[in-house]
Amino acid sequence: MQRAEEDLKEGKAPSTAAGEFVREEIEHVREGKHGARSPEQAIAIGLSKARRAGIPLLPPKKGHAKKSTQASAERDYKKGQAGETKTSAKRSYSRVEALKKEPRSTVSRQALSLHAHKASRSR
C-alpha cells in the first residue's frame, strides 16, 4: 500500500499504483503463500485488492471484459472508494485455503512472458 500511495503522490496513473498490488500478488504465489490457476488470475487478484484498498482504478469499460468481471470490478471499486475494507474471517480463510490448492508455476518468468506476448498480440 505504501508503494502505491507513493506512486499516486508522484502523480503516476492509478494503473501504475495498482501494479504494485499485482507485483505483490505474484510474489505471494512465488513464495508459496498460495497458488493461482493462471497468470491472469494472479493479476486479477492484485487488481481487485488495489480497488478494494482505495486505489482509484476504474473498472473495465463495457465490451472490454466479461460482464461478471465488470460487475466484480465495479463492486470492488465502490467498496474501496467508500472505505469498506472489512471481509469476514471465514470468507478470507476459505479463499486462501482454495488458492493453496492451486499451482505455483503459473507465475514463473516463462508463464508471465507468454502471457505478455499473448496480451500484446490481442492489442
Side-chain angles (χ1 to χ4, degrees), residues 8-61:
L8 290 174
K9 281 180 187 173
E10 290 174 10
K12 292 182 181 176
S15 59
T16 304
E20 293 298 336
F21 283 87
V22 173
R23 188 190 64 77
E24 181 186 43
E25 195 59 33
I26 288 171
E27 286 304 311
H28 284 315
V29 177
R30 283 182 176 164
E31 289 168 0
K33 282 189 175 181
H34 59 74
R37 199 162 287 188
S38 65
E40 291 89 344
Q41 185 184 32
I43 292 166
I45 292 170
L47 292 176
S48 177
K49 282 184 177 180
R51 287 188 179 104
R52 284 174 172 261
I55 302 298
L57 182 66
L58 294 172
K61 293 176 183 164

Side-chain angles (χ1 to χ4, degrees), residues 5 7 13 21 24 27 32 46-47 51 59 63 65-67 79 85 87 93 98 103 108 115 123:
E5 284 175 350
D7 287 345
F21 283 87
E24 181 186 43
E27 286 304 311
L47 292 176
R51 287 188 179 104
K66 292 190 303 185
K67 285 186 180 181
K79 278 199 172 202
T85 56
T87 308
Y93 177 80
S108 64
H115 169 71
R123 276 187 229 136

Side-chain angles (χ1 to χ4, degrees), residues 53-110:
I55 302 298
L57 182 66
L58 294 172
K61 293 176 183 164
K62 198 172 185 179
H64 287 260
K66 292 190 303 185
K67 285 186 180 181
S68 59
T69 304
Q70 211 169 353
S72 175
E74 284 174 17
R75 192 170 44 248
D76 291 341
Y77 179 75
K78 284 178 184 173
K79 278 199 172 202
Q81 296 307 304
E84 300 173 33
T85 56
K86 188 119 171 77
T87 308
S88 74
K90 199 178 277 189
R91 177 180 291 242
S92 181
Y93 177 80
S94 297
R95 184 186 69 81
V96 173
E97 287 303 304
L99 285 172
K100 281 183 179 178
K101 295 172 186 167
E102 299 296 339
R104 274 49 167 181
S105 61
T106 54
V107 292
S108 64
R109 289 180 74 92
Q110 185 180 8

